[in-house]
Amino acid sequence: SAALGREVAWNSNVGVPFGQVLKANGSPLTGIVDITTAKNSAFALDNQGIIWAWGNNSGGRLGLGDAQYRTFATPISSVTGFTRLSPGRSAALRSNGSLWQWGGSFFNYEPQRVADFTLLRDVAGAFAVGADGRVWWWGYYSGGEAPTTPQPVRPELGSDGSQLVLP
């Protein structure tokens, strides 16, 4: 397994040694500072704030403007300045604290800003932490539908007193 900042650790590129992900021009993907996977797709964030995507692109989950499978790492759109990828989801934070998402039924084939949602400091799945420490959620989760516009999480204890549930 390669360390972040060098080569990414897995690929599906036929004839390419394991441990390298290549760009379409044949050069290895390097300078990686964050990486995640979601539904047979992979996303890597480089040290220039550019998101690279490859793998399964059904539903436009790679954010490349189409639904074509990608064997090689391809940069996502002209939007740059990203600082953090959301683990297991097609979403990322930009340096201004804005949240962006792409693919799936709620969002288009290309990255779009999620509502007028800024000043975030972290993101994980369908949850984000605001600069004020509040937790927000949006989109789809396995328990059902969540709002497409971010809503604050108002945690409550489950009926057994031990489970945290979403409103």
Side-chain angles (χ1 to χ4, degrees):
S1 159
L4 290 179
R6 289 188 258 165
E7 296 166 334
V8 184
W10 71 98
N11 69 34
S12 61
N13 302 32
V14 177
V16 175
F18 183 78
Q20 287 187 347
V21 172
L22 299 180
K23 300 176 189 176
N25 67 6
S27 66
L29 185 60
T30 60
I32 302 306
V33 297
D34 199 4
I35 193 162
T36 190
T37 60
K39 298 183 180 180
N40 298 316
S41 303
F43 304 94
L45 175 66
D46 72 17
N47 55 13
Q48 301 297 307
I50 298 169
I51 298 174
W52 296 81
W54 65 98
N56 184 351
N57 194 20
S58 63
R61 69 175 47 124
L62 294 181
L64 299 171
D66 59 37
Q68 180 182 345
Y69 184 93
R70 293 299 197 290
T71 302
F72 298 98
T74 306
I76 295 178
S77 86
S78 60
V79 180
T80 60
F82 290 97
T83 59
R84 173 110 164 86
L85 296 173
S86 178
R89 197 165 182 96
S90 301
L93 289 181
R94 287 188 72 203
S95 57
N96 65 0
S98 62
L99 175 64
W100 292 68
Q101 187 163 334
W102 54 92
S105 58
F106 293 113
F107 300 91
N108 265 327
Y109 284 105
E110 295 181 8
Q112 294 183 13
R113 188 173 174 171
V114 177
D116 187 23
F117 200 39
T118 57
L119 300 176
L120 296 176
R121 66 177 187 207
D122 204 358
V123 63
F127 297 91
V129 179
D132 61 359
R134 291 177 70 186
V135 177
W136 299 80
W137 70 311
W138 78 98
Y140 178 82
Y141 74 105
S142 62
E145 298 296 324
T148 55
T149 301
Q151 301 292 316
V153 171
R154 293 181 183 88
E156 301 173 10
L157 287 178
S159 58
D160 65 358
S162 64
Q163 182 180 2
L164 193 63
V165 296
L166 297 172

